[in-house]
């Protein structure tokens, strides 16, 4: 009823405004109902003198007096006078944990809070997730348990009057807020808005890469299907498509033919428009993907680490297992990646964090994208290399020079052990979910394995991310044509280890012709008993199912779903299958140990 009253279009009176705010209407909600901008409503509200009051959370539940500076806002509370020390900084958290943006960013926020406090700053934390360490009442000097929206953050800034705010530590959400806060006169610490835009704006970033003579995949931007079809004809299939401003690779897909491109626009066309076009990039099939995390100060740069993805390009970085130091990159390729990364950081004039994603194909390095912030790989990189990446980012934002930081002491290559990032998925909890990996992120957690060599680290990462490696039994194979030759040596190695094989008809014939005993099993559409019946019978210990193209993926869904239901390991990518073989061999050898993770600075 009150929505109708707001929407009538008559003048917003102070009484109506107060009632709206007390009923919980945000400026954005009021603006939508009145068909105007939230900025217009905010200015009207400020002109009326309406601001929220802040009440203290009683962390002692009334048992005895609580003095914790832990606040929430309300339009029922009276606005109070509040004074904050001069050297105060607001750190914007990541908000609700969700796929693509979660606990990894809380690590960065908490490390950032601790470093700022160590440097003598009064730290104000803004975050809204009770399950994170950053929202523990004793982590920061002041905690505001508020949404990460322009309205809420501006009110906190108005109350606390900080010297500056940090948007690099909480993922994409604070980066998206930065421009509006700067417009209201608040100082952004670290990289400037111009630096952020050079990295975030796809068109400008492409121009920077061309200026620096970096290799980049052929690309284009389309606002409708006809434009997309023309770009696809120019670039050539396969193509990776994504709407602008995605988080966690949402709605990103690899498209292999015109029909799939039409289907993509049918399903996601509502997210594509002139001011947010569909980004279309040449898909580098079979390339190795690489993550780089670095920190740049005014006269120094530290590369925190180079993470080589174990799966081939096309799997989202959050879903891919990763290894430090890289195992398949040549030393000269690694050196080239470092050199390119530092040149790009200098050109963007980064101050603080920069995360880069690159692809390597035939020893050529392609620049894919840059994120002007701490990334989800920072906790793994920091623990693997013992380089305090977040602490260095804070020192960069505070303007510390090379003499004060001594950057040469941080060498990510100087680690004596190998670390592998494991990935945890929620598929079993969602009956209709598919375990095949692609550009859209699906994982909800990660683990880490450290060992004297790659195979030991792989084994630990696999075990800790709930991949139970079978030491014997039947392996079922369903391989796409381009993977059959690639996977043959792996199958031969499994034969030597004593495994037996069943496969779909085409894969079974290929293996039989190669001299490997393999029992053919029907596909689901070929009648019963079929491969899913065999998986559900409990006779199969491991499934390797590689496929591509929307129709093939849908046709093989039941294979992967059966594996999830019966807790059978299912590998959907050839490089991951090779890594699994290494882990099985290590587990059989029993030649592994446990070592402590030394405390970082």
């Amino acid at each position: 009823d009150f929505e109708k009253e707001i929407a009538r279009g008559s003048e917003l009176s102070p009484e109506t405004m107060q009632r709206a705010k007390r009923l919980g209407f945000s400026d954005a909600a009021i603006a939508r109902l009145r068909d105007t901008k939230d900025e217009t409503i905010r200015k009207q509200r400020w002109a009326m003198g309406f601001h929220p009051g802040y009440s203290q959370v009683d962390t002692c539940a009334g048992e005895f007096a609580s003095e914790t500076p832990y606040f929430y806002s309300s339009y029922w509370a009276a606005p109070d006078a509040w004074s904050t020390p001069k050297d105060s900084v607001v750190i914007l958290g990541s908000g609700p944990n969700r796929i693509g943006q979660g606990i990894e960013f809380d690590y960065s926020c908490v490390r950032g809070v601790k470093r700022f406090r160590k440097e003598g700053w009064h730290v104000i934390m803004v975050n809204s997730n009770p399950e994170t360490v950053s929202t523990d009442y004793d982590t920061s000097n002041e905690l505001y348990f508020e949404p990460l929206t322009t309205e809420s953050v501006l009110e906190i800034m108005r109350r606390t009057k900080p010297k500056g705010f940090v948007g690099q530590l909480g993922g994409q959400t604070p980066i998206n807020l930065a421009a509006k806060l700067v417009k209201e006169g608040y100082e952004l610490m670290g990289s400037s808005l111009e630096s952020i835009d050079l990295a975030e704006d796809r068109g400008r970033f492409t121009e920077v890469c061309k200026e620096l003579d970096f290799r980049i995949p052929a690309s284009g931007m389309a606002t409708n299907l006809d434009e997309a079809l023309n770009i696809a004809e120019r670039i050539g299939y396969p193509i990776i498509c994504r709407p602008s401003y995605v988080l966690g690779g949402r709605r990103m897909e690899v498209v292999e033919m015109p029909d799939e491109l039409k289907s993509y626009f049918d399903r996601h066309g509502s997210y594509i428009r002139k001011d947010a076009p569909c980004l279309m990039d040449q898909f580098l099939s079979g390339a190795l993907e690489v993550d780089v995390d670095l920190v740049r100060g005014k006269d120094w740069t530290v590369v925190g680490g180079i993470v080589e993805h174990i799966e081939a390009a096309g799997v989202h970085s959050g879903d891919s297992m990763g290894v430090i130091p890289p195992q398949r990159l040549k030393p000269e390729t690694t050196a080239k990646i470092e050199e390119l990364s530092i040149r790009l950081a200098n050109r963007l004039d980064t101050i603080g964090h920069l995360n880069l994603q690159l692809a390597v194909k035939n020893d050529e390095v392609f620049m894919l994208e840059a994120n002007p912030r701490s990334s989800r790989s920072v906790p793994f990189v920091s623990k693997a290399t013992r380089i305090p990446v977040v602490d260095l980012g804070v020192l960069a934002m505070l303007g510390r020079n090379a003499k004060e930081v001594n950057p040469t002491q941080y060498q990510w290559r100087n680690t004596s052990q190998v670390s592998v990032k494991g990935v945890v998925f929620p598929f079993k909890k969602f009956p209709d979910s598919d375990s095949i990996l692609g550009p859209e992120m699906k994982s909800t957690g990660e683990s880490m394995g450290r060992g004297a060599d790659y195979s030991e680290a792989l084994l630990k990462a696999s075990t800790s991310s709930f991949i139970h490696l079978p030491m014997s039994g039947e392996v079922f194979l369903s391989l796409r044509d381009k993977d059959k030759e690639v996977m043959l040596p792996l199958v031969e190695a499994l034969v030597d280890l004593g495994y037996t094989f069943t496969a779909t008809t085409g894969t079974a014939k290929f293996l039989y012709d190669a001299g490997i005993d393999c029992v053919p099993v029907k596909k689901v559409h070929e009648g019963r008993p079929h491969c899913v019946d065999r998986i559900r019978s409990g006779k199969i210990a491991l499934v390797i199912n590689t496929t591509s193209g929307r129709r093939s993926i849908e046709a093989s869904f039941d294979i992967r779903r059966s594996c999830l239901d019966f807790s059978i390991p299912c590998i959907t990518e050839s490089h991951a299958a090779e890594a699994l073989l290494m882990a099985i061999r290590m587990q059989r050898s029993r030649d592994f140990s446990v070592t402590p993770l030394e405390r970082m600075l």
Side-chain angles (χ1 to χ4, degrees):
D1 290 341
F2 191 68
E3 281 187 352
K4 291 173 187 172
E5 190 177 320
I6 295 173
R8 279 187 197 131
S10 56
E11 186 74 21
L12 263 180
S13 67
E15 293 76 17
T16 305
M17 180 69 81
Q18 184 183 58
R19 194 170 161 218
K21 300 311 286 185
R22 286 185 169 182
L23 283 171
F25 284 85
S26 66
D27 290 347
I30 298 170
R32 178 177 52 80
L33 290 166
R34 295 184 67 82
D35 195 23
T36 186
K37 294 180 179 178
D38 55 348
E39 187 178 353
T40 304
I41 300 298
R42 181 164 62 248
K43 286 180 177 175
Q44 286 180 15
R45 176 170 59 80
W46 285 355
M48 294 173 186
F50 283 123
H51 297 281
Y54 289 87
S55 302
Q56 208 169 319
V57 175
D58 184 359
T59 53
C60 299
E63 191 173 344
F64 45 85
S66 170
E67 295 182 1
T68 50
Y70 183 2
F71 303 103
Y72 64 96
S73 68
S74 163
Y75 278 86
W76 294 90
D80 56 337
W82 187 256
S83 61
T84 303
K86 183 182 176 185
D87 283 345
S88 64
V89 58
V90 166
I91 294 181
L92 302 178
S94 59
N97 282 359
R98 56 207 185 277
I99 289 176
Q101 182 156 320
I103 205 71
E104 301 93 334
F105 294 108
D106 196 60
Y107 168 93
S108 294
C109 287
V110 174
R111 293 283 310 189
V113 167
K114 290 185 175 181
R115 190 68 205 203
F116 269 111
R117 293 186 73 173
K118 188 176 179 180
E119 296 296 320
W121 284 67
H122 181 91
V123 183
I124 300 155
M125 187 75 219
V126 183
N127 207 359
S128 58
N129 193 328
E131 297 299 321
T132 54
V133 180
S134 63
T135 52
D136 283 354
Y137 59 81
D138 56 356
T139 295
S140 53
N141 299 101
E142 294 178 45
L143 169 64
Y144 289 83
F145 197 71
E146 292 286 293
L148 272 296
T149 62
T150 307
E151 177 181 348
S152 294
V153 175
L154 278 176
E155 293 295 348
I156 293 165
M157 303 287 263
R158 178 183 172 275
R159 181 182 199 242
T160 57
K161 299 177 178 60
K163 198 169 185 179
F165 72 94
V166 175
Q168 292 187 8
L169 302 178
Q172 194 63 32
T173 299
I175 291 291
N176 293 345
L177 285 172
K180 293 174 182 175
L181 300 182
V182 170
K183 186 180 177 184
E184 293 295 333
Y186 297 104
E187 183 184 338
L188 172 63
M189 298 180 74
S191 298
S192 66
L193 288 181
E194 171 68 8
S195 175
I196 290 170
D197 195 57
L198 279 175
E200 293 270 300
D201 185 287
R202 191 67 186 179
R204 296 189 74 190
F205 181 68
T206 299
E207 290 305 312
V208 167
C209 289
K210 288 177 180 175
E211 176 192 322
L212 296 174
D213 203 24
F214 292 170
R215 293 213 63 180
I216 55 174
S219 63
M221 293 188 282
T223 58
N224 57 56
L225 177 59
D226 289 338
E227 288 179 14
L229 289 167
N230 289 334
I231 291 167
E233 194 174 330
R234 171 173 61 82
I235 294 174
Y237 294 95
I239 286 168
I240 191 161
C241 292
R242 60 188 175 118
S244 301
Y245 309 108
V246 293
L247 177 66
R250 260 189 109 189
R251 295 179 284 276
M252 283 177 69
E253 290 182 18
V254 176
V255 171
E256 302 205 349
M257 58 185 72
D259 283 352
E260 289 184 11
L261 188 57
K262 289 172 185 171
S263 169
Y264 181 86
F265 270 77
D266 286 343
R267 288 175 288 114
H268 304 306
S270 59
Y271 297 97
I272 297 164
R273 53 188 188 274
K274 282 193 175 180
D275 61 335
C278 175
L279 310 176
M280 303 174 65
D281 291 312
Q282 168 194 6
F283 179 62
L284 300 170
S285 183
L288 287 180
E289 206 160 325
V290 174
D291 256 292
V292 181
D293 283 298
L294 63 82
V295 175
R296 179 178 178 269
K298 58 185 180 182
D299 60 350
W300 55 272
T301 305
V302 171
V303 174
I306 294 178
V307 183
E308 176 192 290
H309 295 193
I310 291 173
E311 290 87 351
V315 175
H316 192 279
S317 59
D319 287 354
S320 180
M321 295 178 79
V323 57
I324 292 180
Q327 300 294 302
R328 293 168 291 180
L329 295 180
K330 295 177 181 176
E332 54 268 32
T333 306
T334 307
K336 185 177 182 182
I337 288 171
E338 279 198 74
E339 184 254 327
L340 292 178
S341 301
I342 293 170
R343 282 177 60 203
L344 182 61
N346 291 337
R347 173 62 184 83
L348 297 177
D349 197 21
T350 297
I351 296 294
H353 293 273
L354 184 66
N355 166 259
L356 304 175
Q357 292 178 18
L358 309 96
V360 180
K361 187 166 185 177
N362 301 326
D363 296 328
E364 289 189 280
V365 180
F366 292 80
M367 188 68 69
L368 301 181
E369 64 177 84
N371 297 303
R373 52 173 171 77
S374 171
S375 74
R376 68 175 62 81
S377 52
V378 159
F380 170 65
V381 166
S382 297
K383 288 178 166 61
T385 65
R386 275 65 136 212
I387 294 175
V389 176
V390 178
D391 296 59
L392 290 171
V394 170
L395 295 178
M397 290 179 224
L398 293 177
R400 301 289 191 269
N401 60 35
K403 190 175 180 181
E404 294 170 291
V405 174
N406 187 16
T408 54
Q409 68 179 303
Y410 303 112
Q411 301 294 332
W412 69 273
R413 298 167 189 267
N414 290 352
T415 175
S416 60
Q417 294 193 301
V418 177
S419 298
V420 170
K421 183 191 81 169
V423 187
V424 180
F425 294 98
F427 301 130
K428 198 165 178 99
K429 297 181 180 181
F430 298 98
D432 296 324
S433 63
D434 191 346
S435 63
I436 197 161
L437 302 180
E440 185 166 351
M441 187 173 168
K442 299 179 179 181
S443 68
T444 51
E446 60 184 49
S447 64
M448 175 174 157
R450 277 172 77 231
D453 58 22
Y454 185 29
S455 56
E456 183 180 347
L458 266 172
L459 170 61
K460 291 177 179 177
S462 301
T463 302
S464 59
S465 52
F466 312 111
I467 298 174
H468 303 293
L469 306 176
M471 293 297 100
S472 61
E474 181 180 312
V475 179
F476 172 74
L477 301 160
S478 178
L479 307 178
R480 58 186 175 183
D481 289 340
K482 67 180 181 181
D483 283 334
K484 287 172 182 171
E485 286 288 348
V486 173
M487 298 281 276
L488 184 57
L490 181 138
V491 175
E492 290 170 340
L494 289 172
V495 169
D496 294 339
L497 292 172
Y499 293 87
T500 58
F501 298 91
T502 52
T504 49
T505 309
T507 303
K509 183 179 184 308
F510 170 79
L511 294 176
Y512 184 79
D513 291 344
I516 295 171
D517 286 337
C518 183
V519 176
V521 182
K522 292 176 182 176
K523 292 181 179 179
V524 173
H525 69 272
E526 293 172 344
R528 308 185 84 155
H530 49 58
C531 55
V532 171
D533 293 327
R534 193 163 186 87
I535 292 169
R536 291 179 176 273
S537 72
K539 293 177 181 177
I540 288 174
L542 171 67
V543 171
I544 302 176
N545 169 223
T546 67
T547 186
S548 61
R550 189 165 185 82
R551 288 177 189 166
S552 298
I553 289 170
E554 289 172 353
S556 55
F557 169 77
D558 288 339
I559 293 174
R560 296 183 295 278
R561 188 66 236 180
S562 299
C563 292
L564 291 170
D565 293 341
F566 287 80
S567 300
I568 298 166
C570 179
I571 308 301
T572 61
E573 200 273 338
S574 58
H575 292 210
E578 292 165 10
L580 181 84
L581 174 62
M582 290 182 68
I584 287 173
R585 282 177 168 156
M586 172 54 67
Q587 184 157 317
R588 284 192 170 201
S589 75
R590 311 298 299 173
D591 183 23
F592 47 85
S593 59
V594 178
T595 54
L597 183 66
E598 289 86 353
R599 186 181 178 88
M600 286 186 297
L601 295 176

